[in-house]
Every structure is written in structure tokens, then in C-alpha cells.
Amino acid sequence: MKYLSQFGHYILFLKKSIGKPEKFNIFWELFVRDLYKMGNDSFGIVSIISIFIGAVAVIQIGYQLVGSLVPMYVLGRIVRDSNILEFSPTITALVMAGKIGGNIASEIGTMKVSEQIDALEIMGVNASRYVVLPKLVASLIAIPALVIYSMFLSNLGGIISVSLSGIVTVDGYLTGLRMDFDGFSITYALTKAVTFAFLITTISASHGYRTEGGALEVGWASTRAVVQSCIAIIFFDFILTQIMLYK
Amino acid sequence: MIELQHLNKSFDGRQVLFDLSAKFEKGKCSFVIGASGSGKSVLMKTMVGLVEPDSGSLSFDGRDFLKLGYQEKKEVRQEIGMLFQGAALFDSLSVEENVAFPLRMFTNWTKEQILERVNFCLKRVKLENVNALYPSNISGGMKKRVGIARAIALNPKYLFCDEPNSGLDPVTSRVIDELITEITQEYQITTIINSHDIKSVFDMSDHILFIYQGKGWWSGHKEDIRKTGSKELLDFIKASEF
Ligand SMILES: Nc1ncnc2c1ncn2[C@@H]1O[C@H](COP(=O)(O)OP(=O)(O)OP(=O)(O)O)[C@@H](O)[C@H]1O
Ligand SMILES: [Mg+2]
């Protein structure tokens, strides 16, 4: 029951927040600021995580292939597809839920408890649209861009890992990496990225927007935003995989 | 003039405002006083449209606010300025940008026109050379003054102040009180102030509404307050004077 009412609030919140911005130049300024902040905040962590994920994937999958009948150079292909299809979009999104989602919920929550949202409403501004729309549009660009960046880095991490561990020769690995590449895997990954970006921003913003009380409640809202964004990501990962890979 | 008639409001079955009626006149500072929890803030939020009353009417110079459509409500809202208890400045914007905000949002003025108006409003609240500072870097009294500057940027017809003195020292309180009184007279604004501060009530009020447990208990002029037979009001005044 509680979740049903929460879901109802979320839908109403979306309805109020999504639409044409009231003043385009103000929207644009906020959008540029948010886009810069999201990219800048997340660039480092995405880089580190992506390289290590690629590196670990090589060692783990390599370990499973040793002694099997599958030729070792296939390793490159398997790691590439795992990175593009699953690791880069999903893990980047989960990290972004913690970073961007937590930020959004606490920023909007603080605006709510310090009456800044009320101040906007009284002036006659559509407050939810004013705060959410720039963040939503920024995340729909920033998160897919970070996912693409992560795809490159995770594969680079794979190559580094191969050259350090010598599971296969680097040349052999690169042959695998270039084998049977299907552009659809990128479409699929970006569809996931855009969906996750939407979920993270709107779920986090709606938690921030419903905060009442003080600093303590802002902290709770931020935690709830991260947890629920992560659950939503995993759930939609499953659904989208079903729909797109087995049509 | 703002006129309230028979306002009722309850939250989750608990009634906070009971059949409240009042009139607030143009060019005057009207005070709403009452104990903590008596419903002052809820009344103010109802008047500015943040809280929807369960029944009753609310009119701004004859415009029945609750019956207006979205666009007309928006027009009335642009005639309302509000000073919040915590000032409610936008933290991500500088002092200048805070005051410019309503102008950028609701006028088509050029940058120069906006800057001129911003500087005029800041000067009016006796703040100069702080344009580039952020709310986190200025004192509580300065925040209140920026809040006033932002509230008057669009030349409001109605000004609402929720506890303008809370959290300020007596000297700064005086400055804020004087500013509000001056601005009210100068621009003939209908000003409504929620306050706990009995001293400012006696200093600057033109009209007083005393709320007791959500009911409009007494209203009148400050000179008449001691002649009232209302025990609740006298108790409130006495308790506040110590
Ligand atoms: N959004 C809300 N939901 C439920 N109850 C509320 C809400 N807002 C106010 N109340 C209740 O309404 C009553 C009146 O509150 P209000 O804030 O108007 O008091 P006040 O007179 O402004 O007090 P103070 O002087 O302490 O600011 C309180 O009992 C409060 O709990
Ligand atoms: Mg109050």
C-alpha cells in the first residue's frame, strides 16, 4: 500500500515536472551547469571502475576458458560483449545512482526544507519543472556519454590485463576483440543507459521533492533515492534484456 | 486589500484554522500574532496559495483567488512578495542573481535594465557591494535584507513576512522592522507580518489579528489591545513582555 501511494506520487510528480521550460535561457543556464557538474563529478570514478572491471573480466573469463575446447583468442570477444552489453551500462548506472542520484536528492531536499521550493511556487514558477527538467535533460546526455566512455576504458582495461598477465598474447586478444562485432550491442547498451538516466534522475528528484523536516530528513531522502534507483536499474536491466536480446 | 472569509483548514482530520475571517488594508502593516502552533504560518501559507483551504474565500482586491484559473493565479502570484523565516535565498545563486531571479523569470527586460533594478532594490535595503557574494557567505540579517530586496523586485502589491525577526539580534531586528514599515508606506503595499515579537508589534503595527487555537480571536488597533476583555489575549501579551 505504501509503495503504491509512493508510485502514485512519482507519476504525478513526473506529470508536473516534464514539459516545456518556462524561460528557455534560465533553463539553458541550469542545464549547462548540471551537465558540467555531472560529467565532472563522475569522470574519475567511472574511469577507475571501468578499467578494473575490464581487467577483472579478462582474468575471470580467461580462467574459465583455460583447458576448455574454446580457442583462447575468443576471450577478447567475450570480454568485449560483456563489457558493452552489461558491465559498462549497468555498473556505470549503479555508480551514478550513488553519485548523481544522491546529489540530486540532497540538493532538491535542501531546497525543500529551506523553503526555496516554496519561494519558487509563491513567485508563480512551476518549481518542480524548474528544478528537475535541467537535471533530467543533463543526465540523459551525461550518463549515456559516460557509458560510451566506460565501454572504451573497460576494453582498454582488458588489454592492459592481458598484457600484464599473459593469459593470451595481446595480438590474439585483439583478434578476438575485433571478431563478429554487432552494432546492435551499442544500440542496446545506449537504450539501457538512457532508461537508467531517466530512472535515476526522476526517482531521486521525487524523493528530494517530498522531503519534509530538516538536515536529517535530507540525508534519509538521499539514501532512499540511491537504494530505490539501484533497485529500479536492476529491474529494468532485466526487462530490457528480455525485450531487446530475445525478440 | 486582502479579505478572508470563513477559512477552514484541517490536516489529516485535525482542524488548524476555524472559520477565520479578516481584512488587511493597503499601505498598512497588519500583524498576525498568537502562540506557537496557533496556526499563523498555516494562515500565511493559505493566503499565498501554498496551502489550499477546505472551505472559505480569499480575495485580493476583489479577485476571488481560489476561483481563479491557473494563469490568473499566476498573475496574482507575481504581485505577491514574501519574506521567509529563513530568507529562503537560492543557495546556488549570488545575491545579485537572487534579486534578479523574479525579474529574469517574469519580465523581458534587458540585462542592463535588470541590473539597474537589482541595484536599486539592494540599495533600498541598504546593501551595497555584496552583489557577487553567495548566501552561505553573508550574515542572517543580510540574508533577510536580500530576501526583502528579492520580494520587492517586481513591485509587489502584497508583502508577506513570516517572523521577520526570528534569529536576529535586537538591533538588526529594528533595522528589518523599519525597512518593512518604510517600504509598505512608500509603495502602498498591503503588508502582513507573522510575529512573536511583541515589541515590534507595538512599534510598527497599524492593525493586529490575534489568533487563538486557529480562531480569529481578536482584531483591532494596538491602542485598544489593553482595553480588551479577552483573557487569552492579555495572557499572551503579558507572557510575551517578559
Ligand atoms: N503540512 C502540515 N501537515 C500537518 N499539520 C500541519 C502542517 N502544517 C502545520 N500543521 C499543524 O498546524 C498547526 C499550526 O501550525 P503553524 O505552523 O501554523 O503554527 P504557528 O502559529 O506558525 O507556530 P510558530 O509560532 O511556532 O511558527 C500545528 O499544530 C502544526 O502541527
Ligand atoms: Mg510559524
Side-chain angles (χ1 to χ4, degrees):
Chain A
M1 201 54 214
K2 190 179 124 215
Y3 290 104
L4 205 62
S5 113
Q6 241 184 37
F7 185 69
H9 272 289
Y10 174 68
I11 296 297
L12 288 176
F13 177 74
L14 286 185
K15 222 179 118 199
K16 232 178 14 168
S17 313
I18 297 175
K20 202 171 146 285
E22 287 174 274
K23 266 263 167 139
F24 191 78
N25 55 348
I26 296 183
F27 164 81
W28 183 256
E29 264 173 40
L30 293 172
F31 162 75
V32 170
R33 190 199 68 187
D34 286 329
L35 184 62
Y36 174 77
K37 192 161 172 286
M38 284 176 188
N40 200 41
D41 276 3
S42 317
F43 192 71
I45 179 110
V46 170
S47 309
I48 295 173
I49 290 181
S50 303
I51 290 190
F52 277 92
I53 284 174
V56 172
V58 160
I59 300 171
Q60 286 222 351
I61 297 170
Y63 174 77
Q64 292 169 50
L65 290 183
V66 170
S68 70
L69 294 173
V70 183
M72 276 312 275
Y73 64 84
V74 175
L75 178 61
R77 186 196 153 166
I78 299 178
V79 171
R80 177 197 72 207
D81 284 346
S82 311
N83 283 339
I84 292 178
L85 294 175
E86 187 63 23
F87 294 146
S88 283
T90 309
I91 295 187
T92 305
L94 289 171
V95 173
M96 292 303 100
K99 200 98 201 176
I100 296 179
N103 274 344
I104 289 177
S106 59
E107 184 182 329
I108 298 180
T110 305
M111 288 184 78
K112 183 75 190 303
V113 301
S114 61
E115 298 181 304
Q116 294 173 51
I117 299 281
D118 286 350
L120 287 166
E121 286 286 347
I122 287 170
M123 288 178 196
V125 177
N126 178 338
S128 55
R129 189 171 302 172
Y130 170 81
V131 294
V132 178
L133 202 59
K135 295 188 194 313
L136 178 60
V137 180
S139 77
L140 290 176
I141 295 171
I143 294 181
L146 286 163
V147 166
I148 292 177
Y149 171 68
S150 162
M151 289 172 185
F152 279 105
L153 277 196
S154 55
N155 282 305
L156 181 69
I159 297 171
I160 296 172
S161 176
V162 165
S163 66
L164 291 179
S165 63
I167 301 177
V168 282
T169 61
V170 174
D171 276 350
Y173 183 79
L174 289 178
T175 310
L177 200 61
R178 293 198 201 96
M179 217 164 80
D180 304 328
F181 179 71
D182 181 358
F184 177 73
S185 62
I186 304 283
T187 312
Y188 161 79
L190 288 183
T191 307
K192 291 211 296 190
V194 168
T195 310
F196 297 159
F198 182 84
L199 292 169
I200 293 170
T201 322
T202 53
I203 291 175
S204 305
S206 85
H207 277 290
Y209 206 79
R210 280 183 18 235
T211 314
E212 306 263 354
L216 197 61
E217 284 80 5
V218 173
W220 291 339
S222 173
T223 311
R224 264 200 309 274
V226 175
V227 172
Q228 291 192 6
S229 301
C230 289
I231 294 172
I233 288 168
I234 300 292
F235 181 71
F236 274 85
D237 187 23
F238 178 73
I239 305 245
L240 285 176
T241 308
Q242 281 289 330
I243 294 175
M244 293 186 74
L245 293 190
Y246 292 89
K247 11 173 223 204
Chain B
M1 187 172 74
I2 301 178
E3 206 170 342
L4 318 173
Q5 273 170 344
H6 310 295
L7 285 182
N8 284 290
K9 176 68 194 174
S10 35
F11 289 107
D12 315 316
R14 206 166 57 86
Q15 196 154 358
V16 178
L17 298 180
F18 292 85
D19 195 38
L20 214 147
S21 301
K23 266 187 196 165
F24 303 103
E25 284 179 35
K26 190 174 161 180
K28 304 247 161 88
C29 283
S30 304
F31 273 73
V32 177
I33 60 173
S36 206
S38 56
K40 302 184 295 294
S41 295
V42 173
L43 177 62
M44 188 166 277
K45 284 187 179 159
T46 309
M47 288 194 275
V48 298
L50 285 176
V51 167
E52 184 127 355
D54 303 334
S55 63
S57 78
L58 161 63
S59 87
F60 291 85
D61 292 308
R63 290 168 295 179
D64 190 344
F65 187 72
L66 301 169
K67 294 215 176 78
L68 298 178
Y70 178 78
Q71 201 53 38
E72 295 159 311
K73 269 190 184 157
K74 211 169 150 169
E75 281 161 22
V76 174
R77 284 187 159 164
Q78 282 158 38
E79 298 173 1
I80 293 179
M82 178 150 181
L83 174 61
F84 285 86
Q85 194 163 341
L89 301 180
F90 305 123
D91 329 294
S92 56
L93 303 180
S94 69
V95 165
E96 179 179 306
E97 290 165 336
N98 262 284
V99 182
F101 184 86
L103 300 167
R104 296 191 58 196
M105 204 75 192
F106 299 113
T107 70
N108 289 315
W109 295 2
T110 61
K111 275 201 171 104
E112 293 73 33
Q113 286 171 311
I114 289 176
L115 186 63
E116 195 183 331
R117 177 74 188 158
V118 168
N119 286 331
F120 173 82
C121 293
L122 285 172
K123 204 168 162 191
R124 188 67 199 75
V125 298
K126 302 185 177 77
L127 282 176
E128 275 167 283
N129 304 320
V130 294
N131 291 37
L133 297 180
Y134 280 82
S136 52
N137 299 327
I138 60 178
S139 71
M142 285 162 90
K143 278 186 198 158
K144 288 268 162 104
R145 284 191 273 170
V146 178
I148 296 175
R150 184 178 69 183
I152 62 170
L154 281 172
N155 261 324
K157 289 191 182 152
Y158 317 99
L159 180 64
F160 293 86
C161 309
D162 196 359
E163 319 237 353
N165 293 331
S166 69
L168 297 182
D169 65 84
V171 178
T172 314
S173 291
R174 209 54 347 139
V175 174
I176 301 287
D177 282 354
E178 276 164 14
L179 263 176
I180 294 172
T181 320
E182 283 168 24
I183 287 168
T184 301
Q185 288 167 358
E186 205 173 314
Y187 305 109
Q188 288 293 303
I189 302 174
T190 307
T191 299
I192 299 170
I193 303 167
N194 276 355
S195 189
H196 273 152
D197 185 351
I198 273 307
K199 188 160 159 25
S200 25
V201 174
F202 278 114
D203 281 353
M204 39 178 312
S205 71
D206 297 308
H207 178 83
I208 298 169
L209 168 67
F210 172 63
I211 302 191
Y212 183 74
Q213 297 184 348
K215 300 182 186 79
W217 205 257
W218 184 88
S219 76
H221 200 260
K222 61 188 166 198
E223 261 86 64
D224 302 326
I225 213 165
R226 290 183 199 279
K227 290 182 236 155
T228 170
S230 162
K231 186 178 164 306
E232 289 79 7
L233 175 54
L234 289 174
D235 284 349
F236 177 76
I237 303 278
K238 240 186 269 165
S240 318
E241 277 175 343
F242 290 106

